[in-house]
Amino acid sequence: MLLEDRIQHLLRQIEQQERRWDQVSAHPSYAQFAAREPVLRQSIARIRHICACFRQAVAHNDPRIPHYLDQLEENMFYLARDMDQLYAALGFATPPARVLH
């Protein structure tokens, strides 16, 4: 896959996970669940921060982007997994389909 295609694919994945995050964080039971599962909450926060940094790097055409791609693709896998756990724990019927790489 070409570099630009990988970047665009990751940006779409980030956008999808952000939409999922908005649904989860708005759930009335999220605060209680997050208090019981600090490791999961911290994992998601860390990966979301990495995603925000990536978006900023893309916006500024940072020349280091190719060096971030493998790590970010791996992190997106873990974010999707963690979001699936949150969806299940909060009783959402079925998590939306994940975009896999």
Side-chain angles (χ1 to χ4, degrees):
M1 188 181 286
L2 296 174
L3 178 65
E4 185 60 33
D5 292 340
R6 287 177 72 191
I7 291 169
Q8 291 306 312
H9 181 73
L10 280 169
L11 290 172
R12 284 189 303 274
Q13 284 184 306
I14 290 169
E15 184 179 321
Q16 179 186 29
Q17 295 305 327
E18 286 298 318
R19 282 193 306 270
R20 292 180 77 194
W21 172 253
D22 290 344
Q23 290 177 321
V24 165
S25 62
H27 192 282
S29 300
Y30 172 72
Q32 290 176 342
F33 178 80
R36 290 190 317 264
E37 297 290 339
V39 173
L40 183 61
R41 185 189 71 230
Q42 291 168 354
S43 172
I44 290 172
R46 181 183 62 81
I47 296 170
R48 288 183 74 227
H49 175 74
I50 291 168
C51 291
C53 292
F54 178 72
R55 280 203 208 128
Q56 186 175 19
V58 169
H60 292 93
N61 203 21
D62 189 322
R64 298 172 292 179
I65 290 173
H67 303 288
Y68 301 147
L69 290 177
D70 290 336
Q71 180 184 6
L72 187 58
E73 287 170 341
E74 182 178 339
N75 279 308
M76 289 308 298
F77 170 80
Y78 292 120
L79 178 60
R81 181 200 63 197
D82 291 348
M83 292 301 292
D84 286 350
Q85 289 176 353
L86 275 173
Y87 259 72
L90 295 175
F92 284 99
T94 305
R98 290 188 298 182
V99 176
L100 299 176
H101 59 286

